Amino acid sequence: MNASDSSWLAEPAAVPAHVAVIMDGNGRWAKQRGLPRTFGHTSGARQVRAMVEHCQQCGIGYITIFAFSSENWKRPDDEVSSLMALFVLYLEKEVGAMSARGVRLKVVGDLTRFDARLQRLIRETEEKTAGNSGITLTVAANYGGRWDMLQAVRLWQAAHPGESVQALGEEDLAPFLSMAYAPDPDLLIRTGGESRVSNFLLWQIAYAEMFFTDVLWPDFSVKELAHALSWYASKDRRFGAVSERVAT
Ligand code: IPE
Ligand code: IPE
Ligand code: MG
């Protein structure tokens, strides 16, 4: 952006181009009902379709959901395996419905740690939906914001052999980040009552509006999403500058 160009200030922050969601609280939701944590994950996964549909109806171009963090391997083996199984099931079950609605699916994260079948399924689902232009649903799986930055530096270095990182600018690195195909999230929603980022899109959320709610993810309804979107629309996004109101 040109420093003297302030035309963007006049744009009302109405509909975010990109919404990112930390879907937290599945385990506590299940515990409250005396159920195993995996029931919470199954209920949580069911919510995703309605969220994507609502975002699409609102004209949001990108929704990114945090499904499994690079730190979630620390969980008990049976929980990790059931999360993997759920991911496989989700991809297999949803791909047809997603394609019919024009959803493009992308998966970001260090996929090398997943078994070969899951890696193949991810690739196939991405390929099958690659031509869709309705909304881009990105699933962050084995994703960590720190990992993302490091892998971007490594890719940049490989593309510029012999060049010093002294030459590396923010704009040079951006194309190597795993979500280079999307604008930075405008709105980050975290359910489940915690106000932390837990190593999600660290680089990309530099100027995101952060919406934290106590609602547990399996209870996060379209109504709650609509509330988050209207909260977002009321924000005065200054990006380090001064607001239009103050400036004029
Ligand atoms: C979020 O819910 C889902 C994943 C991290 C996979 P949690 O499983 O973290 O639920 P809580 O935070 O324990 O309630
Ligand atoms: C963040 O939730 C990761 C996902 C929602 C996938 P966590 O439950 O793992 O985060 P912490 O451990 O409470 O920070
Ligand atoms: Mg949690």
Side-chain angles (χ1 to χ4, degrees):
M1 188 178 59
N2 182 325
S4 62
D5 174 20
S6 59
S7 56
W8 57 274
L9 275 172
E11 295 289 324
V15 178
H18 183 175
V19 176
V21 189
I22 301 176
M23 312 182 290
D24 195 24
N26 294 348
R28 278 163 288 161
W29 183 91
K31 197 174 170 204
Q32 282 173 2
R33 286 159 181 76
L35 297 167
R37 293 176 58 83
T38 48
F39 278 71
H41 297 315
T42 313
S43 294
R46 256 187 240 124
Q47 294 295 90
V48 172
R49 190 194 279 203
M51 293 301 135
V52 176
E53 276 177 11
H54 187 73
C55 285
Q56 196 171 0
Q57 277 160 16
C58 291
I60 292 163
Y62 299 84
I63 176 166
T64 301
I65 56 173
F66 205 6
F68 192 87
S69 79
S70 42
E71 289 73 37
N72 287 147
W73 297 104
K74 294 176 192 164
R75 297 190 177 204
D77 289 349
D78 60 342
E79 182 169 346
V80 170
S81 332
S82 72
L83 281 165
M84 294 300 145
L86 193 61
F87 192 21
V88 169
L89 198 73
Y90 182 83
L91 292 175
E92 283 174 339
K93 211 177 85 176
E94 288 289 314
V95 62
M98 280 192 293
S99 253
R101 295 193 318 274
V103 178
R104 176 171 71 137
L105 184 107
K106 304 277 280 179
V107 180
V108 293
D110 180 3
L111 306 185
T112 58
R113 195 152 168 201
F114 295 138
D115 71 36
R117 180 183 165 220
L118 181 50
Q119 290 189 42
R120 198 172 51 245
L121 184 61
I122 289 169
R123 260 198 320 275
E124 285 168 4
T125 313
E126 286 184 328
E127 281 163 15
K128 274 184 199 151
T129 62
N132 293 344
S133 56
I135 187 171
T136 300
L137 166 63
T138 301
V139 178
N142 193 20
Y143 179 87
R146 291 178 177 180
W147 164 84
D148 197 359
M149 289 187 234
L150 268 180
Q151 67 81 34
V153 172
R154 289 189 189 118
L155 288 175
W156 179 87
Q157 187 81 87
H160 301 84
E163 263 185 61
S164 157
V165 284
Q166 293 303 322
L168 181 61
E170 288 182 19
E171 305 73 24
D172 303 313
L173 194 62
F176 296 96
L177 288 160
S178 59
M179 293 211 60
Y181 55 86
D184 286 346
D186 304 293
L187 170 64
L188 174 76
I189 298 172
R190 181 172 185 143
T191 62
E194 312 294 356
S195 337
R196 55 180 173 248
V197 173
S198 300
N199 200 13
F200 197 25
L201 303 159
L202 299 180
W203 177 288
Q204 296 86 344
I205 60 168
Y207 271 100
E209 302 294 331
M210 311 265 207
F211 182 88
F212 298 106
T213 171
D214 288 338
V215 176
L216 304 173
W217 174 252
D219 289 331
F220 191 78
S221 61
V222 164
K223 198 168 153 221
E224 309 281 349
L225 175 62
H227 174 60
L229 292 172
S230 62
W231 174 87
Y232 169 82
S234 74
K235 293 288 130 188
D236 179 17
R237 304 188 75 199
R238 293 184 288 277
F239 298 95
V242 288
S243 76
E244 196 191 3
R245 274 194 303 276
V246 177
T248 49

mmCIF file of all heavy atoms in Angstrom, residues 23-29 37 41 67-68 72 75 79 83, ligand 1:
data_model
loop_
_atom_site.group_PDB
_atom_site.id
_atom_site.type_symbol
_atom_site.label_atom_id
_atom_site.label_comp_id
_atom_site.label_asym_id
_atom_site.label_seq_id
_atom_site.Cartn_x
_atom_site.Cartn_y
_atom_site.Cartn_z
ATOM 1 N N MET A 23 -11.531 -23.337 16.902
ATOM 2 C CA MET A 23 -12.728 -24.069 17.358
ATOM 3 C C MET A 23 -12.380 -24.771 18.666
ATOM 4 O O MET A 23 -11.974 -25.925 18.656
ATOM 5 C CB MET A 23 -13.122 -25.107 16.305
ATOM 6 C CG MET A 23 -13.167 -24.577 14.877
ATOM 7 S SD MET A 23 -13.707 -25.826 13.682
ATOM 8 C CE MET A 23 -12.340 -26.962 13.649
ATOM 9 N N ASP A 24 -12.546 -24.075 19.777
ATOM 10 C CA ASP A 24 -12.106 -24.654 21.056
ATOM 11 C C ASP A 24 -13.295 -24.940 21.968
ATOM 12 O O ASP A 24 -14.318 -24.262 21.900
ATOM 13 C CB ASP A 24 -11.137 -23.673 21.746
ATOM 14 C CG ASP A 24 -10.359 -24.347 22.866
ATOM 15 O OD1 ASP A 24 -10.199 -25.585 22.838
ATOM 16 O OD2 ASP A 24 -9.913 -23.623 23.783
ATOM 17 N N GLY A 25 -13.132 -25.944 22.820
ATOM 18 C CA GLY A 25 -14.149 -26.245 23.825
ATOM 19 C C GLY A 25 -14.876 -27.563 23.621
ATOM 20 O O GLY A 25 -15.812 -27.871 24.373
ATOM 21 N N ASN A 26 -14.445 -28.348 22.646
ATOM 22 C CA ASN A 26 -15.120 -29.634 22.391
ATOM 23 C C ASN A 26 -15.038 -30.573 23.600
ATOM 24 O O ASN A 26 -16.026 -31.221 23.963
ATOM 25 C CB ASN A 26 -14.459 -30.371 21.216
ATOM 26 C CG ASN A 26 -14.649 -29.646 19.908
ATOM 27 O OD1 ASN A 26 -15.434 -28.718 19.812
ATOM 28 N ND2 ASN A 26 -13.914 -30.073 18.890
ATOM 29 N N GLY A 27 -13.853 -30.632 24.203
ATOM 30 C CA GLY A 27 -13.644 -31.546 25.328
ATOM 31 C C GLY A 27 -14.519 -31.170 26.514
ATOM 32 O O GLY A 27 -15.182 -32.020 27.125
ATOM 33 N N ARG A 28 -14.561 -29.864 26.825
ATOM 34 C CA ARG A 28 -15.373 -29.409 27.964
ATOM 35 C C ARG A 28 -16.856 -29.596 27.685
ATOM 36 O O ARG A 28 -17.629 -29.931 28.571
ATOM 37 C CB ARG A 28 -15.046 -27.935 28.274
ATOM 38 C CG ARG A 28 -13.796 -27.795 29.122
ATOM 39 C CD ARG A 28 -13.249 -26.394 29.080
ATOM 40 N NE ARG A 28 -12.640 -26.101 27.799
ATOM 41 C CZ ARG A 28 -12.396 -24.885 27.342
ATOM 42 N NH1 ARG A 28 -12.744 -23.842 28.062
ATOM 43 N NH2 ARG A 28 -11.816 -24.708 26.168
ATOM 44 N N TRP A 29 -17.243 -29.417 26.446
ATOM 45 C CA TRP A 29 -18.658 -29.622 26.061
ATOM 46 C C TRP A 29 -19.061 -31.066 26.366
ATOM 47 O O TRP A 29 -20.129 -31.321 26.925
ATOM 48 C CB TRP A 29 -18.810 -29.316 24.569
ATOM 49 C CG TRP A 29 -20.204 -29.416 24.036
ATOM 50 C CD1 TRP A 29 -21.122 -28.408 23.970
ATOM 51 C CD2 TRP A 29 -20.839 -30.575 23.485
ATOM 52 N NE1 TRP A 29 -22.286 -28.868 23.408
ATOM 53 C CE2 TRP A 29 -22.141 -30.199 23.099
ATOM 54 C CE3 TRP A 29 -20.430 -31.892 23.267
ATOM 55 C CZ2 TRP A 29 -23.046 -31.077 22.518
ATOM 56 C CZ3 TRP A 29 -21.316 -32.774 22.692
ATOM 57 C CH2 TRP A 29 -22.614 -32.374 22.323
ATOM 58 N N ARG A 37 -14.420 -37.204 25.534
ATOM 59 C CA ARG A 37 -14.033 -36.014 24.766
ATOM 60 C C ARG A 37 -14.302 -36.163 23.265
ATOM 61 O O ARG A 37 -14.643 -35.195 22.586
ATOM 62 C CB ARG A 37 -12.542 -35.722 24.978
ATOM 63 C CG ARG A 37 -12.176 -35.302 26.390
ATOM 64 C CD ARG A 37 -10.651 -35.131 26.519
ATOM 65 N NE ARG A 37 -10.138 -34.153 25.565
ATOM 66 C CZ ARG A 37 -10.156 -32.826 25.773
ATOM 67 N NH1 ARG A 37 -10.622 -32.345 26.900
ATOM 68 N NH2 ARG A 37 -9.674 -32.015 24.864
ATOM 69 N N HIS A 41 -15.689 -33.767 19.896
ATOM 70 C CA HIS A 41 -15.073 -33.515 18.583
ATOM 71 C C HIS A 41 -16.050 -33.848 17.456
ATOM 72 O O HIS A 41 -16.118 -33.125 16.456
ATOM 73 C CB HIS A 41 -13.791 -34.346 18.431
ATOM 74 C CG HIS A 41 -12.727 -33.969 19.432
ATOM 75 N ND1 HIS A 41 -12.406 -32.665 19.702
ATOM 76 C CD2 HIS A 41 -11.924 -34.729 20.226
ATOM 77 C CE1 HIS A 41 -11.449 -32.629 20.619
ATOM 78 N NE2 HIS A 41 -11.143 -33.867 20.963
ATOM 79 N N ALA A 67 -8.088 -27.059 13.100
ATOM 80 C CA ALA A 67 -8.604 -28.396 13.423
ATOM 81 C C ALA A 67 -7.651 -29.173 14.324
ATOM 82 O O ALA A 67 -8.086 -29.989 15.138
ATOM 83 C CB ALA A 67 -8.839 -29.182 12.139
ATOM 84 N N PHE A 68 -6.338 -28.936 14.147
ATOM 85 C CA PHE A 68 -5.357 -29.700 14.926
ATOM 86 C C PHE A 68 -4.057 -28.902 14.940
ATOM 87 O O PHE A 68 -3.501 -28.586 13.885
ATOM 88 C CB PHE A 68 -5.141 -31.075 14.266
ATOM 89 C CG PHE A 68 -4.385 -32.050 15.129
ATOM 90 C CD1 PHE A 68 -5.070 -32.845 16.051
ATOM 91 C CD2 PHE A 68 -3.005 -32.184 15.019
ATOM 92 C CE1 PHE A 68 -4.385 -33.745 16.852
ATOM 93 C CE2 PHE A 68 -2.311 -33.079 15.826
ATOM 94 C CZ PHE A 68 -3.004 -33.861 16.738
ATOM 95 N N ASN A 72 -1.053 -30.348 19.487
ATOM 96 C CA ASN A 72 -2.108 -31.290 19.884
ATOM 97 C C ASN A 72 -1.646 -32.754 19.902
ATOM 98 O O ASN A 72 -2.348 -33.633 20.409
ATOM 99 C CB ASN A 72 -3.369 -31.139 19.022
ATOM 100 C CG ASN A 72 -4.164 -29.874 19.325
ATOM 101 O OD1 ASN A 72 -4.780 -29.278 18.436
ATOM 102 N ND2 ASN A 72 -4.178 -29.423 20.583
ATOM 103 N N ARG A 75 -1.627 -34.766 23.183
ATOM 104 C CA ARG A 75 -2.835 -35.363 23.783
ATOM 105 C C ARG A 75 -2.710 -36.892 23.815
ATOM 106 O O ARG A 75 -1.886 -37.472 23.117
ATOM 107 C CB ARG A 75 -4.058 -34.944 22.962
ATOM 108 C CG ARG A 75 -4.231 -33.434 23.013
ATOM 109 C CD ARG A 75 -5.544 -33.006 22.436
ATOM 110 N NE ARG A 75 -5.667 -31.558 22.595
ATOM 111 C CZ ARG A 75 -6.808 -30.906 22.632
ATOM 112 N NH1 ARG A 75 -7.937 -31.552 22.502
ATOM 113 N NH2 ARG A 75 -6.836 -29.607 22.789
ATOM 114 N N GLU A 79 -7.105 -40.057 21.769
ATOM 115 C CA GLU A 79 -7.772 -38.830 21.310
ATOM 116 C C GLU A 79 -7.193 -38.391 19.963
ATOM 117 O O GLU A 79 -7.934 -38.008 19.048
ATOM 118 C CB GLU A 79 -7.635 -37.701 22.348
ATOM 119 C CG GLU A 79 -8.370 -36.443 21.888
ATOM 120 C CD GLU A 79 -8.524 -35.362 22.949
ATOM 121 O OE1 GLU A 79 -8.301 -35.650 24.148
ATOM 122 O OE2 GLU A 79 -8.867 -34.222 22.573
ATOM 123 N N LEU A 83 -9.222 -38.065 16.467
ATOM 124 C CA LEU A 83 -9.256 -36.810 15.698
ATOM 125 C C LEU A 83 -8.843 -37.053 14.242
ATOM 126 O O LEU A 83 -9.439 -36.499 13.316
ATOM 127 C CB LEU A 83 -8.348 -35.759 16.349
ATOM 128 C CG LEU A 83 -8.948 -35.055 17.566
ATOM 129 C CD1 LEU A 83 -7.870 -34.313 18.343
ATOM 130 C CD2 LEU A 83 -10.049 -34.074 17.156
HETATM 131 C C1 IPE B 1 -10.792 -28.031 20.366
HETATM 132 O O1 IPE B 1 -11.421 -28.517 21.483
HETATM 133 C C2 IPE B 1 -10.518 -29.119 19.353
HETATM 134 C C3 IPE B 1 -9.098 -29.455 19.215
HETATM 135 C C4 IPE B 1 -8.108 -28.900 19.826
HETATM 136 C C5 IPE B 1 -8.805 -30.534 18.301
HETATM 137 P P1 IPE B 1 -10.602 -29.081 22.726
HETATM 138 O O2 IPE B 1 -10.418 -30.541 22.536
HETATM 139 O O3 IPE B 1 -9.350 -28.328 22.931
HETATM 140 O O4 IPE B 1 -11.630 -28.828 23.894
HETATM 141 P P2 IPE B 1 -11.279 -28.321 25.357
HETATM 142 O O5 IPE B 1 -10.524 -27.043 25.224
HETATM 143 O O6 IPE B 1 -10.470 -29.393 26.011
HETATM 144 O O7 IPE B 1 -12.612 -28.124 25.988
#
